[in-house]
Amino acid sequence: MVRRAAMEGEPLGDEALLGLEARYGHFTAMQVAGRRVRGLELHFDRLEQAGKELFGAGPGREVVLATIRAALGDAQDASVRVHEVEVAGRPRVIATTAPPHPPLPGPLRVTPVVYQRYLAHIKQASGFQQPHILRTVNRAGFDEALLTTEDGLISEGAITNLGGFASSRLIWPDAPKLHGITMRLLERMEVPQERRPLRVPDLADFDLVFLCNSWGVMPVGEVDGTKLRLDAGLAERVLAYYEGVPGDPVD
């Protein structure tokens, strides 16, 4: 347990100490619009399952909702993160808010990076590797990274899931990855779907490749310097489906 800390010669208060200590745990990220969240039940499920795996029990729906409401205050729209992290030897629920985050303007430029996350199915708190990867590819002029194995098998983006359409089928990578909330919502589309091993060269045969996370659905136009097909009709269809998913109230 952290007892005292200082920054650049000045002591830090208790709230800063809490932030330094709360490093082990998991979180979920969501966009609140009009006090509603798409896939709110899926966020509860994510927190419950990860909580059981890391702490032996999930945080509980009512605690999560109360914490979201307290963090929002009177705000109608916000980016919200709900963390369950260990503080003073026990798990605590902490919610943070930031301005709403729109989808990245596209088509996106992405590049592969060899990296596989430990316990990829858990959205882990206090990460270093993914933010570092994202900063590195951003400096090189790319919008996102595709995380791959040494032999090029795609798993996910640094902060996104990858999907795409080929021969009228919605394809997802068959590899260890976070089962993202937006991905789960898109899996409910009434189109043929499958998971299969994907490598970067395979994406050239797709009619549409997209990335998705809580920000939305974002078409990809280029991977590692290679232009990809972008079927505008398919992109509009996927986006319309996602935007048509009703939000669940947090109040």
Side-chain angles (χ1 to χ4, degrees):
M1 177 178 176
V2 178
R3 294 188 179 277
R4 298 187 67 184
M7 181 175 67
E8 297 179 352
E10 297 296 329
L12 294 175
D14 290 343
E15 291 184 357
L17 294 180
L18 184 150
L20 289 170
E21 185 180 357
R23 300 174 62 80
Y24 177 79
H26 61 100
F27 75 101
T28 193
M30 62 189 74
Q31 296 296 311
V32 177
R35 309 284 292 193
R36 290 178 172 268
V37 177
R38 290 188 184 94
L40 185 59
E41 290 295 333
L42 297 177
H43 287 284
F44 291 140
D45 178 66
R46 165 185 280 173
L47 292 169
E48 180 71 15
Q49 295 305 314
K52 286 181 179 178
E53 187 165 346
L54 298 184
F55 300 114
R61 176 192 178 105
E62 291 308 316
V63 171
V64 171
L65 277 175
T67 307
I68 291 173
R69 290 193 289 260
L72 281 172
D74 295 331
Q76 296 294 305
D77 307 319
S79 294
V80 174
R81 289 190 174 195
V82 180
H83 305 252
E84 187 182 32
V85 288
E86 188 174 74
V87 179
R90 69 184 183 93
R92 305 293 296 269
V93 177
I94 300 171
T96 62
T97 65
H101 200 303
L104 295 175
L108 304 184
R109 299 179 67 241
V110 302
T111 188
V113 173
V114 176
Y115 177 68
Q116 293 289 283
R117 296 190 304 114
Y118 176 67
L119 297 180
H121 61 287
I122 292 179
K123 197 171 180 69
Q124 301 155 22
S126 300
F128 168 81
Q129 291 87 347
Q130 287 157 274
H132 173 70
I133 289 169
L134 193 58
R135 287 170 183 249
T136 300
V137 300
N138 286 166
R139 286 196 295 267
F142 295 97
D143 299 298
E144 237 290 42
L146 297 184
L147 305 184
T148 76
T149 60
E150 290 283 352
D151 64 351
L153 191 68
I154 298 170
S155 55
E156 58 191 341
I159 57 170
T160 57
N161 283 117
L162 176 137
F165 279 86
S167 301
S168 301
R169 301 181 70 84
L170 178 49
I171 311 297
W172 304 99
D174 185 13
K177 60 185 175 298
L178 183 72
H179 196 186
I181 303 302
T182 301
M183 176 182 173
R184 294 189 192 194
L185 293 174
L186 294 178
E187 286 176 332
R188 297 175 179 176
M189 287 185 70
E190 294 183 358
V191 296
Q193 301 192 29
E194 66 178 86
R195 297 188 186 191
R196 69 185 192 213
L198 292 176
R199 290 176 170 78
V200 169
D202 300 328
L203 302 181
D205 297 327
F206 279 51
D207 300 308
L208 172 69
V209 176
F210 63 83
L211 301 178
C212 59
N213 62 10
S214 67
W215 302 344
V217 180
M218 298 160 282
V220 177
E222 181 182 318
V223 56
D224 209 23
T226 299
K227 298 290 185 180
L228 299 180
R229 290 201 296 268
L230 202 168
D231 186 313
L234 272 175
E236 290 174 4
R237 181 180 178 188
V238 176
L239 185 59
Y241 174 84
Y242 177 69
E243 292 184 343
V245 174
D248 303 306
V250 299
D251 295 308

